[in-house]
């Protein structure tokens, strides 16, 4: 998912601005192929590369994500700068709503990649959403710098998949048997308005040429729902990956190892089958990310039948994803007319997610939701000192009344419980940058250093 709108996308006087992100998921099937000859290069070590050291040949170096990862998802702390991978042939500034290019980023995961292209433009109040989506999709770009083969951005998937496969593989890749598959793109629009222009944050989902999500609110409101955006964005990617797996298997062009395939499906479906991630109720987001029928849920049922021989439990999990998405179809229909983000982000939390109190050092008591409390319980079983240090950290952050600091502190707790050191490290660095006081906590710094010592 993209970061919050950059400063270049926002007016100094709090005026109206649009921030548009175009996304293309790229499924990499090399880890599940029966043919061992088509291997992905060991570096960068996705989803946990080393920023400033590792690089993707012909594309760019690995850079740290300054705003930190989206909690709960692998592959989000760092990315490759993709300016050399995708170059604009058209001038984005000549569109009906003139754009400036904010970034081009390639994120890497265990089973694929995601290209994010961020664009900013002023909003005069007369730019229709259809114009924004249409203008972005029709921008002409060249992949790998070959302008003679330029094409519209909406059609960039296939050459992009081939370029990424050739940059990340140890053997030549044939066009007809490319193990990297482009999946369905999506567009996210964030419209930033002045305080007097928006009573509350709202989201609207459109079904144009590609699934298009629009969120409207003040800068502060949009910043508050970063996890909502990130979860929706990654769910779109994971669902498209599963769709790509089923499509590849049905065509039969690539021979897949069924055990490795089951591992892939297990990895992709874990978050999709979850009921809740912190403040985000997931089943409605699964329905939203399914793209208005572009993702035929029967494809997931067929995939469940395929992996049932390897794991009946995994097949059941896939069917749970399908069932929850179907139950939430009414939400998708409502989204066509406009949904209030609070329905997912805040109000449901109060009703469905209980609050638990934990003790920090001294007499401090910290109120956390049940998800974070469960993470603390898992940490305590392995490292009681780390648990106590993180409880002290949360107690300190709670006094700051800073939602961003709280999110990064909670992300550290969840990352420690899941032993995701890259996410833990990035969240810690981001937390120190916005709340320097935490860097002075000696017991926390010592616990952090000890936890990361084996990274």
């Amino acid at each position: 998912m993209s970061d919050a709108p950059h400063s270049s996308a926002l007016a100094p006087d709090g005026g109206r601005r649009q921030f548009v992100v175009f996304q293309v998921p790229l499924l990499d099937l090399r880890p599940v192929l029966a043919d061992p000859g088509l291997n992905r290069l060991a570096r960068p070590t996705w989803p946990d590369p080393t920023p400033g050291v590792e690089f993707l040949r012909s594309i760019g170096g690995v850079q740290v994500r300054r705003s930190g990862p989206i909690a709960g998802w692998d592959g989000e702390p760092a990315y490759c700068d993709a300016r050399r991978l995708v170059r604009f042939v058209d001038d984005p500034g000549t569109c009906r709503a003139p754009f400036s290019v904010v970034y081009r980023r390639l994120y890497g995961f265990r089973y694929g990649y995601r290209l994010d292209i961020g664009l900013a433009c002023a909003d005069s109040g007369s730019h229709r959403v259809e114009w924004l989506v249409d203008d972005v999709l029709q921008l002409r770009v060249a992949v790998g710098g070959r302008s003679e083969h330029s094409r519209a951005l909406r059609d960039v998937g296939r050459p992009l998949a081939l370029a990424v496969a050739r940059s990340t593989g140890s053997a030549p890749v044939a066009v007809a048997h490319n193990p990297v598959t482009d999946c369905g793109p999506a567009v996210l629009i964030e419209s930033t308005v002045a305080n007097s222009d928006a009573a509350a944050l709202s989201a609207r989902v459109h079904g144009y040429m590609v699934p298009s999500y629009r969120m409207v609110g003040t800068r502060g409101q949009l910043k508050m729902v970063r996890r909502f955006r990130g979860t929706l964005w990654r769910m779109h990617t994971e669902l498209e990956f599963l769709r790509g797996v089923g499509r590849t298997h049905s065509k039969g062009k690539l021979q897949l190892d069924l055990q490795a395939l089951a591992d892939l499906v297990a990895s992709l479906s874990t978050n999709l089958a979850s009921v809740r991630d912190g403040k985000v109720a997931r089943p409605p987001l699964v329905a939203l990310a399914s793209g208005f029928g572009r993702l035929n849920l029967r494809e997931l049922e067929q995939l469940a039948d395929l992996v049932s021989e390897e794991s009946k439990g995994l097949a059941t999990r896939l069917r749970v994803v399908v069932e929850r998405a179907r139950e939430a179809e009414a939400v998708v229909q409502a989204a066509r007319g406009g949904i209030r983000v609070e329905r997912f982000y805040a109000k449901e939390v109060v009703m469905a997610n209980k609050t638990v109190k934990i003790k920090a050092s001294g007499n401090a008591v910290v109120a956390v939701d049940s998800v974070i409390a469960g993470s603390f319980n898992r940490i305590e079983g392995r490292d009681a000192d780390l648990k106590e240090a993180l409880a002290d950290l949360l107690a300190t952050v709670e006094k700051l009344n800073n939602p961003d600091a709280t999110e990064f502190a909670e992300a550290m707790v969840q990352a420690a419980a899941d032993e995701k050191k890259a996410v833990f490290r990035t969240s810690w660095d981001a937390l120190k940058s916005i709340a320097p006081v935490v860097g002075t906590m000696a017991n926390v710094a010592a616990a952090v250093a000890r936890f990361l010592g084996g990274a």
Side-chain angles (χ1 to χ4, degrees), residues 171-203:
V173 177
V175 176
H177 296 87
N178 184 6
V180 178
T181 302
D182 61 299
C183 301
V187 173
L188 173 70
I189 302 170
E190 294 188 1
S191 298
T192 306
V193 296
N195 292 331
S196 59
D197 295 330
L201 178 65
S202 62

Side-chain angles (χ1 to χ4, degrees), residues 53-168:
V53 176
E54 296 184 84
F55 62 93
L56 207 54
R57 69 185 185 197
S58 303
I59 294 179
V62 175
Q63 300 182 20
V64 68
R65 189 175 189 174
R66 289 180 299 173
S67 59
I70 302 298
W73 299 94
D74 289 328
E76 295 291 337
Y79 60 87
C80 280
D81 189 312
R83 284 177 291 180
R84 288 198 291 171
L85 177 63
V86 177
R87 183 171 64 84
F88 283 87
V89 176
D90 287 347
D91 180 0
T94 61
C95 296
R96 283 171 289 188
F99 297 105
S100 61
V101 181
V102 179
Y103 58 70
R104 279 155 284 185
R105 297 173 177 172
L106 187 71
Y107 290 88
F109 317 116
R110 184 180 177 188
Y111 295 113
Y113 308 87
R114 183 187 80 239
L115 175 71
D116 284 2
I117 298 178
L119 303 160
C121 73
D123 178 13
S124 67
S126 62
H127 300 147
R128 299 172 58 185
V129 176
E130 298 96 316
W131 293 1
L132 288 173
V133 176
D134 192 47
D135 283 351
V136 168
L137 295 180
Q138 292 194 55
L139 284 171
R140 297 199 68 79
V141 296
V143 176
R146 303 182 63 182
S147 57
E148 68 273 16
H149 294 152
S150 66
R151 63 195 64 215
L153 191 57
R154 66 170 175 266
D155 300 321
V156 78
R158 185 166 295 181
L160 181 66
L162 186 62
V164 170
R166 289 173 172 172
S167 293
T168 59

Side-chain angles (χ1 to χ4, degrees), residues 91 102 106 130 144 180 194 196 199 215 225 233 241 246 255 268 279 285 292-293 321 385 398 411 417 430 435 451:
D91 180 0
V102 179
L106 187 71
E130 298 96 316
V180 178
S196 59
M215 303 180 69
V225 293
W233 217 222
F241 279 177
Q255 295 299 313
L268 294 179
K279 299 179 176 67
L285 294 186
F292 300 110
V321 173
D385 291 339
E398 189 177 61
F451 177 71

Side-chain angles (χ1 to χ4, degrees), residues 385-421:
D385 291 339
L386 177 61
K387 180 259 183 184
E388 183 176 340
L390 291 177
D392 289 347
L393 178 67
L394 272 181
T396 299
V397 168
E398 189 177 61
K399 298 175 184 176
L400 302 177
N401 195 27
N402 184 323
D404 290 338
T406 299
E407 180 178 334
F408 286 127
E410 290 181 347
M412 288 178 63
V413 175
Q414 290 180 293
D418 297 332
E419 297 193 75
K420 294 180 178 179
K421 294 187 178 182

Side-chain angles (χ1 to χ4, degrees), residues 328-344:
E329 280 181 354
V331 176
V332 175
Q333 295 303 318
R336 293 175 186 266
I339 314 176
R340 300 188 71 78
V341 172
E342 290 93 325
R343 180 172 184 178
F344 308 100

